[in-house]
Amino acid sequence: LLCILPVTIRNRIVSGAWVPISVNAGVNLYVGNNPDTATALAIRPNQDWNRLLRMPFAAGTRSAADGDQWFVRRVAAYAKSDPAGFVTNLGRKALELVNGHEMPRNMSIYAYRDRSPWLGALVWKLGGFGFPFSLLLPFAVLGLFAAARRSVETRVMTSFVVLYACSIIVFFPADRYRLPLLPVLMIFAVAGALSLVDSAHKPRTISLMAGILLVSAIVASLPLKFATDGIPFDAELD
């Protein structure tokens, strides 16, 4: 909050409206929370996106800040009119967030694989299994269970993982939005691997850890369908 406060104050002075950072929060909230999120998430930059941005002005708003709030009101109306659909949509986004697939937004990292032998080796998919996230997540979950209450530092990192993940789910997942989670998840993954080694002589603990790893790996490798699956990102890259 302290970091963004100067921007918020500047926005208030310049526009007369309380805008915390920018006026794209409302439209992004709407993209991830509406009766047809699949279509909204597949909207590409340029004409279709600009048409979406013009919707509040076509409805009578007169400023970008008012347009931002117009989208927020649309999301609130959707949640009120279809609470079951709204909650189901949140659950689907939670599954997408922890899936091994690197979810594209404007570009797909998979489209770059042929351009780089290093990337080709380090980022790939085999069915629902997406390397490296489908491997990272199970060990990170194990580390969260093993280390979450050991110290103030681990509790702070656990809180960051949970709160930041929730902030993504409220809007919508994408690979670049998930990226800030990875350094912290890697720390927990190492902790998970170490706890597995340390418990090698405890059959009951090892069985529990194996179960956590298996369930997490299955969840991370579910063959989900994503709204952007049909978009030719190779053509967009060219």
Side-chain angles (χ1 to χ4, degrees):
L1 291 174
L2 287 174
C3 288
I4 70 171
L5 184 60
V7 179
T8 306
I9 294 173
R10 182 264 178 195
N11 289 342
R12 174 66 177 181
I13 293 171
V14 171
S15 69
W18 288 110
V19 178
I21 301 175
S22 63
V23 290
N24 64 346
V27 66
N28 282 311
L29 188 67
Y30 175 78
V31 165
N33 301 275
N34 66 78
D36 189 9
T37 55
T39 298
L41 286 168
I43 291 177
R44 312 311 305 141
N46 212 330
Q47 291 185 7
D48 290 338
W49 182 255
N50 292 337
R51 190 176 297 114
L52 175 65
L53 294 180
R54 288 195 296 268
M55 285 173 58
F57 298 95
T61 62
R62 291 293 178 264
S63 71
D66 290 341
D68 189 51
Q69 292 304 308
W70 183 88
F71 280 115
V72 173
R73 290 193 296 271
R74 289 290 297 270
V75 171
Y78 163 58
K80 185 177 179 179
S81 64
D82 186 11
F86 181 77
V87 173
T88 300
N89 184 46
L90 290 177
R92 177 187 57 79
K93 290 188 289 183
L95 282 177
E96 291 179 350
L97 177 66
V98 297
N99 191 267
H101 180 70
E102 296 296 335
M103 303 148 287
R105 185 59 190 137
N106 296 340
M107 290 185 178
S108 171
I109 195 171
Y110 298 113
Y112 282 91
R113 293 183 72 254
D114 295 337
R115 276 76 171 181
S116 167
W118 293 104
L119 194 60
L122 294 173
V123 181
W124 46 269
K125 287 197 70 177
L126 184 61
F129 181 88
F131 186 86
F133 194 82
S134 289
L135 180 64
L136 170 67
L137 183 72
F139 283 97
V141 171
L142 187 61
L144 283 164
F145 276 103
R149 296 189 178 184
R150 286 187 179 177
S151 66
V152 174
E153 290 84 355
T154 53
R155 288 197 293 270
V156 169
M157 290 195 296
T158 302
S159 299
F160 166 75
V161 169
V162 173
L163 292 174
Y164 186 76
C166 288
S167 75
I168 297 174
I169 294 168
V170 167
F171 287 85
F172 57 89
D175 52 5
R176 69 173 188 248
Y177 305 155
R178 184 170 70 180
L179 191 61
L181 281 173
L182 300 191
V184 181
L185 289 180
M186 284 189 279
I187 294 172
F188 280 114
V190 172
L194 289 174
S195 67
L196 194 64
V197 173
D198 292 341
S199 302
H201 60 288
K202 302 175 183 177
R204 185 174 296 181
T205 304
I206 282 291
S207 298
L208 176 61
M209 290 183 171
I212 293 173
L213 285 173
L214 179 61
V215 171
S216 301
I218 291 173
V219 172
S221 303
L222 290 174
L224 303 179
K225 291 184 178 180
F226 294 85
T228 51
D229 283 348
I231 296 173
F233 283 101
D234 288 326
E236 293 205 357
L237 177 61
D238 292 334

